[in-house]
Amino acid sequence: MPPRKDKPVNGKRLPSIQDVAIAADVSTATVSRVLNNPNLVSPETAEKVRKAVVQLGYKPNLFAQGLMTRKSRVLGIALPDIHGEFYSELLRGADAEARRRGYHILVGTEARKAEAQPLTPHNLPPGALAPGSPELPERSNLAFGLVDGLAIMITEPNELLWREARELALPVVVLDVEIAEPGVDCIMVDNGPGTKEATEHLLAALPGDKLYFVGGPRENFDTQRRGETFVETLRDAGIRARKDQLAFGRYSVEWGYLWAGTLLKANALRGIGVLAGNDEIALGVLQAAQDARIKVPEELRIVGYDDTRLASLVRPSLSSVRVPMAEVGAAAISTLIDRIAEPERPATIVRLPTKLVVRESSDKNAASGGF
Amino acid sequence: MPPRKDKPVNGKRLPSIQDVAIAADVSTATVSRVLNNPNLVSPETAEKVRKAVVQLGYKPNLFAQGLMTRKSRVLGIALPDIHGEFYSELLRGADAEARRRGYHILVGTEARKAEAQPLTPHNLPPGALAPGSPELPERSNLAFGLVDGLAIMITEPNELLWREARELALPVVVLDVEIAEPGVDCIMVDNGPGTKEATEHLLAALPGDKLYFVGGPRENFDTQRRGETFVETLRDAGIRARKDQLAFGRYSVEWGYLWAGTLLKANALRGIGVLAGNDEIALGVLQAAQDARIKVPEELRIVGYDDTRLASLVRPSLSSVRVPMAEVGAAAISTLIDRIAEPERPATIVRLPTKLVVRESSDKNAASGGF
DNA sequence: TGGCGAGTTGTAAACGCTTACACTTGAGGG
DNA sequence: CCCTCAAGTGTAAGCGTTTACAACTCGCCA
C-alpha cells in the first residue's frame, strides 16, 4: 500500500498515458496503439487520441517505455581519449546520422586503463570482490543496459568493454580495425584510392624514382596500407621503389622536419615529390623546405594526408588526401542501427574511400584552398 | 493475463533483483537496500546479498530504476552544429567530469533550424497538428525525459530547446552567455586576464599607440570584451586608443590578411603589435607579413587568440591567449550536477580565466612552441 | 511484567508503459 | 438464420525497480 506518490517532477505531474486515455475517453491500450501502431485503430479514434495528446502535451515516459520494449534508441560510442579534429568530425557524422534515424548518442571516452575507475562487480571477475568490500554495483562506465548498441572507436581493443558487450549480446560495430567475429560489423577507411590518386598526381610531374613516402609509425595500420599502395602505384607505372623511398617515423611535425633534414644534407630535397603519412608530417617537410629556401611546389612537391584544417590554412596550402571521418561516423551509426533491426545478418565491412584534394603545395595553379 | 515473457535479451534472461533475492534468501527489498542504502541492513545479510550479486553478475535494470527514481544519471549537452577543436575540447572536459561523478553524457548537436527535423507535437504549438496528420509523438530531439539535466552550449539561444527545458523543469546550465533567470547557472570565459596579459606583453616591447586589436564580428560578445579590455589596458598604461587601433571583421584568415593589407598599403605594418581576435585572424596577418617580407616578430609582433593547435604548428609559432575549453566543459557538468542535487540554490556564474601563451610570433626568444 | 523504541526484514503497491487475450460488433457466406 | 471472421477496443498482467508500512525481535526501563 505504497502511497500514491504524486511526486511531480517539480510541482506538477507530467501527463501520463492514463491522462490521455481519460481525456480521449478510450483505454490506455488504445492510446498506446495510436502512438505505436496506428493502423490498428480506427481513424476517428486515432484522431481523438491525437488531439488529447497534443492538448496535454503528452510525452511517453522513456523509462517505462524502455522497461517494456527493452529499447532506448540510444547508442553508445566508445571514443579514444584523444583530442583533435578526427574525434569531433567523427562524432558530428555519427550524431547527424543518429538524429536522422531517431536515435541519440551517448559518448564514452575510454577511461585510462590505470586511472581511477573504481572497480565494480561488473568489471571484476566473478568472486573477486573481497568480503566486506564496500564497492558494489554501480552502472558500468558505458551505461550498458541503457544503450541499444555500441560503436567502438578505440584503436586498441579494450578487453573489458568488449567482453561486457558480448556478454550482454549488445550489437557492436568497430571502427578502423577488422575483427573477424560473426556478428560484428566493421567500418574502415579505404586508403587505397586516395593514396593511388596522390601518387599518380605526383607522378604526373615527376619521375617515379623521385617520389618519397614519409609515413607515421611502421606499426600503424593506416601507414602500412598507404605505403603499400604507394609502392604498388609506382610499380604500376613501371618503377620499382627503392627502399629509401619509404620512411617511417611518427605522426608529428618534427619527424617530417627531421626526415627532410637528412635529405637536405644529401642535397636531395630538391626536385622530388613527397607523400606524407599525415598533414603534420607534410608540414614538417614544408617547414624544412622553407628554411632551406626551397620553393614549394616548384622545387619540391608535397602532399599531406587527412586533409585537416591545417592543410588549407598553411601557406602554401597543402595538398592532402581527404579522409571522410564524418562519413565514417555516420556509417558506423547507420550500420549499427541496421544490425539492431536485423541481429542475425552476416557481418558487413564498410570501406569508405579517400580522395585527393589538390592545393598549392603540389600544384602551382591550384586554388589557395580558399583560406 | 499476459504471458510470462521470458523475453531474454538474446537467448538468456538477465538476472533480476528477484533472482538475487532468491539466491541470497532474502526479499527484493533487502537486496535493493543493500545496493542503495547499505546501512539499513545488517552486515551479515549485506554480505550474503553482495555475494549473490557478484555471483549472478547482477546489474540493476536502468529503465526500471529510472522509472522509480526519475533519475538516469545522464546529462544532455546541446552543442552548436560546428566543427573544430572547441567542440571536441569542450566535450572532452565535460565527459571527463561527468565520468568522474558517475554520470553519462548524451550529445545533441543542434538541428539546423530550417532543415528537416520533422515536426512533432513537442515542438508544435498546441493544436497546430493538422487533423489526420501522420506525425505523432516521437521523442524530442534531445531525449528530454531521459536526461537529468541539460547543458546548453549553443550561442544563439534556441527558443525551442529552452522552452521545452523550462517546461520540464529540467536543470539547465548555459555556456558563454549570461542569462538572468532564477535557476539557471552560467559558465563563462573571462577574456579579461588573457587579453590584459597579451596587451601588456606587447606593451613591453612597443609603445601603446603602435598596438592594434583586430577582432572578429563587432556583434560577437567575446570580441567585444576582448576589445574593451585591450582599450582599458592601454588606458591603464596612459595611452588613449585611437579609433583605428580597433578593427572588426570576421573570424577568418582572409579578414586578417585583408586588414594587414590596408596597413601595408599605408606602409604602416612595420613596427607595430597586433592582438588578433582569434588564431585564424592572426594567421592572416602573419601571412600578409610574410608576403611583404616583414619579419615576425622583429618588425611585427602578433598575438592570436584561443590557442588552437594551429598556433603551435605554424611558423613562426603563434603567441596566443589560451581559452580553457575543456575546463569550461568540466565546469558546466560540475555545476549542472550540483544544481541537480540542490535545485533551489541561487544561480551561480562561473568565469574561467584566459591566459597568454608566448611563442615566436611575439618574442624571438620564445620556444618554438614544441612543434 | 508490560511497554516502548531501535534495528531488521518482509509485503506489496506503485512507477508508466506495451501487449496477449477476451470481448463486442457487424458484414458476408452457406 | 446461424456461423465465421475481421476489425476495433478494453482488460489486466507484467516489465524490474524502490519504498512506505507492517511486523517481528530484542533489550531496556519503569
Side-chain angles (χ1 to χ4, degrees):
Chain A
M1 54 209 69
R4 162 106 182 129
K5 253 189 323 202
D6 255 347
K7 186 208 274 181
V9 167
N10 199 330
K12 53 183 170 280
R13 215 170 55 84
L14 293 167
S16 79
I17 200 172
Q18 264 279 14
D19 302 319
V20 178
I22 293 172
D25 195 30
V26 296
S27 73
T28 61
T30 299
V31 177
S32 176
R33 283 191 278 253
V34 171
L35 265 31
N36 303 315
N37 222 333
N39 49 335
L40 290 182
V41 178
S42 78
E44 305 79 44
T45 311
E47 188 48 36
K48 229 177 16 173
V49 170
R50 284 201 187 90
K51 219 168 260 161
V53 164
V54 173
Q55 185 170 4
L56 273 63
Y58 166 72
K59 297 171 70 168
N61 178 308
L62 299 184
F63 295 116
Q65 223 164 25
L67 187 53
M68 281 306 291
T69 62
R70 279 150 195 304
K71 294 262 163 269
S72 63
R73 296 188 83 82
V74 171
L75 304 177
I77 294 198
L79 289 163
D81 193 15
I82 52 153
H83 314 59
E85 277 171 287
F86 271 18
Y87 179 93
S88 73
E89 267 304 290
L90 219 152
L91 208 51
R92 254 175 64 74
D95 183 59
E97 178 67 11
R99 164 191 308 281
R100 205 176 66 74
R101 305 194 45 175
Y103 276 74
H104 289 281
I105 288 201
L106 194 76
V107 299
T109 30
E110 183 186 14
R112 278 267 143 275
K113 302 284 157 47
E115 270 178 9
Q117 187 185 199
L119 293 179
T120 75
H122 307 141
N123 50 28
L124 275 180
L129 202 58
S133 162
E135 42 256 309
L136 254 200
E138 311 167 21
R139 45 257 315 156
S140 155
N141 46 10
L142 223 149
F144 283 108
L146 179 55
V147 298
D148 290 349
L150 186 57
I152 303 188
M153 311 207 164
I154 47 186
T155 35
E156 66 179 281
N158 178 336
E159 261 314 311
L160 215 121
L161 202 59
W162 186 253
R163 209 184 53 224
E164 208 164 357
R166 302 308 292 181
E167 252 166 42
L168 264 64
L170 202 62
V172 164
V173 347
V174 301
L175 274 88
D176 226 33
V177 46
E178 262 180 77
I179 300 232
E181 192 118 1
V184 180
D185 307 298
C186 303
I187 314 293
M188 310 279 301
V189 167
D190 185 358
N191 292 293
T195 309
K196 187 159 187 291
E197 208 181 342
T199 311
E200 285 169 348
H201 168 67
L202 289 172
L203 271 173
L206 292 162
D209 61 339
K210 291 292 191 187
L211 265 35
Y212 293 81
F213 173 77
V214 186
R218 184 174 252 115
E219 315 78 67
N220 183 280
F221 185 70
D222 282 322
T223 276
Q224 280 170 25
R225 283 288 300 130
R226 291 168 192 180
E228 284 164 19
T229 304
F230 174 78
V231 171
E232 284 164 19
T233 309
L234 286 190
R235 187 171 48 233
D236 290 352
I239 293 104
R240 224 195 101 120
R242 300 183 313 278
K243 215 166 186 177
D244 70 288
Q245 283 181 269
L246 284 274
F248 300 92
R250 295 186 311 152
Y251 278 136
S252 71
V253 181
E254 285 132 306
W255 159 236
Y257 195 88
L258 209 67
W259 176 87
T262 65
L263 253 70
L264 205 53
K265 228 173 289 177
N267 205 14
L269 196 55
R270 255 174 253 262
I272 68 170
V274 173
L275 174 57
N278 76 353
D279 285 341
E280 292 208 16
I281 298 175
L283 186 58
V285 175
L286 178 60
Q287 290 181 351
Q290 289 175 329
D291 285 357
R293 302 253 179 289
I294 293 179
K295 286 205 190 101
V296 177
E298 292 85 349
E299 301 176 292
L300 167 63
R301 288 168 196 262
I302 307 176
V303 176
Y305 221 107
D306 291 349
D307 193 21
T308 54
R309 183 149 187 67
L310 204 56
S312 61
L313 289 183
V314 131
R315 155 153 316 192
S317 58
L318 212 51
S319 297
S320 193
V321 177
R322 180 171 140 63
V323 176
M325 289 318 277
E327 283 85 341
V328 168
I333 294 305
S334 176
T335 307
L336 189 51
I337 295 176
D338 289 347
R339 170 153 302 279
I340 290 171
E342 213 181 328
E344 302 305 339
R345 68 168 194 177
T348 58
I349 297 194
V350 177
R351 279 176 209 285
L352 289 144
T354 48
K355 188 176 171 322
L356 176 67
V357 178
V358 177
R359 297 207 184 80
E360 296 168 341
S361 68
S362 70
D363 180 355
K364 194 60 200 169
N365 303 318
S368 109
F371 75 175
Chain B
M1 51 212 70
R4 162 108 180 127
K5 255 186 320 197
D6 255 347
K7 187 208 272 180
V9 168
N10 200 331
K12 53 185 171 276
R13 214 171 56 85
L14 291 167
S16 78
I17 201 172
Q18 265 278 15
D19 302 319
V20 177
I22 292 171
D25 195 30
V26 296
S27 73
T28 60
T30 299
V31 176
S32 176
R33 283 192 278 254
V34 169
L35 265 31
N36 302 316
N37 223 334
N39 49 336
L40 289 182
V41 178
S42 80
E44 304 79 44
T45 311
E47 189 48 36
K48 235 181 5 180
V49 170
R50 284 201 187 90
K51 221 168 258 161
V53 164
V54 172
Q55 185 171 3
L56 273 63
Y58 165 71
K59 294 172 71 168
N61 178 305
L62 299 183
F63 295 117
Q65 223 163 27
L67 186 52
M68 281 307 291
T69 63
R70 288 159 187 296
K71 293 263 163 267
S72 63
R73 295 187 82 81
V74 171
L75 304 177
I77 295 198
L79 288 163
D81 193 15
I82 51 153
H83 314 57
E85 278 172 288
F86 272 18
Y87 181 92
S88 74
E89 268 303 289
L90 219 153
L91 208 52
R92 256 173 64 72
D95 183 58
E97 178 67 11
R99 166 191 306 281
R100 205 175 67 72
R101 306 194 46 173
Y103 275 74
H104 290 281
I105 288 202
L106 194 77
V107 298
T109 30
E110 183 187 13
R112 277 268 145 277
K113 302 283 160 47
E115 271 177 11
Q117 186 186 202
L119 294 178
T120 76
H122 306 142
N123 51 29
L124 275 180
L129 202 59
S133 160
E135 43 256 309
L136 253 201
E138 308 169 22
R139 45 254 319 148
S140 154
N141 45 12
L142 222 148
F144 282 108
L146 179 56
V147 299
D148 290 349
L150 186 57
I152 302 188
M153 311 205 163
I154 46 186
T155 35
E156 66 179 282
N158 178 335
E159 259 316 311
L160 216 120
L161 202 60
W162 186 251
R163 208 184 54 221
E164 209 164 354
R166 301 310 292 179
E167 251 166 42
L168 264 64
L170 201 62
V172 165
V173 347
V174 301
L175 275 87
D176 227 34
V177 46
E178 263 180 76
I179 300 229
E181 193 119 359
V184 180
D185 306 297
C186 304
I187 315 292
M188 310 280 299
V189 167
D190 185 358
N191 292 295
T195 308
K196 188 159 186 287
E197 208 181 341
T199 310
E200 283 169 350
H201 168 67
L202 289 172
L203 272 174
L206 292 162
D209 60 339
K210 291 290 191 188
L211 263 38
Y212 293 81
F213 174 77
V214 186
R218 184 173 252 116
E219 316 78 70
N220 183 280
F221 186 69
D222 281 323
T223 276
Q224 280 170 25
R225 283 288 299 133
R226 291 169 192 180
E228 284 165 20
T229 304
F230 174 77
V231 172
E232 283 162 21
T233 309
L234 286 190
R235 186 169 49 233
D236 290 351
I239 293 105
R240 225 195 103 120
R242 301 184 312 277
K243 215 164 187 178
D244 71 287
Q245 282 181 270
L246 283 277
F248 301 92
R250 296 188 311 151
Y251 278 135
S252 72
V253 180
E254 285 133 306
W255 159 235
Y257 195 88
L258 210 66
W259 177 85
T262 63
L263 251 70
L264 204 53
K265 228 171 291 175
N267 206 16
L269 196 54
R270 256 176 251 264
I272 67 170
V274 173
L275 174 58
N278 77 353
D279 285 341
E280 292 209 17
I281 297 174
L283 185 59
V285 175
L286 177 61
Q287 291 181 350
Q290 290 174 329
D291 285 357
R293 302 254 180 284
I294 293 179
K295 286 204 189 103
V296 177
E298 292 85 348
E299 302 175 291
L300 168 62
R301 288 167 194 263
I302 306 177
V303 176
Y305 221 106
D306 292 349
D307 193 22
T308 55
R309 183 150 187 67
L310 203 57
S312 61
L313 288 182
V314 132
R315 159 157 309 197
S317 59
L318 212 51
S319 297
S320 193
V321 177
R322 181 171 138 64
V323 177
M325 289 319 275
E327 283 85 339
V328 168
I333 294 306
S334 178
T335 306
L336 189 50
I337 295 176
D338 289 349
R339 169 154 302 282
I340 289 170
E342 212 180 329
E344 301 304 339
R345 68 169 194 176
T348 58
I349 297 193
V350 177
R351 279 175 208 288
L352 289 145
T354 48
K355 191 176 167 324
L356 175 67
V357 178
V358 177
R359 296 204 184 82
E360 296 168 342
S361 69
S362 70
D363 179 356
K364 194 59 200 167
N365 302 319
S368 112
F371 74 176

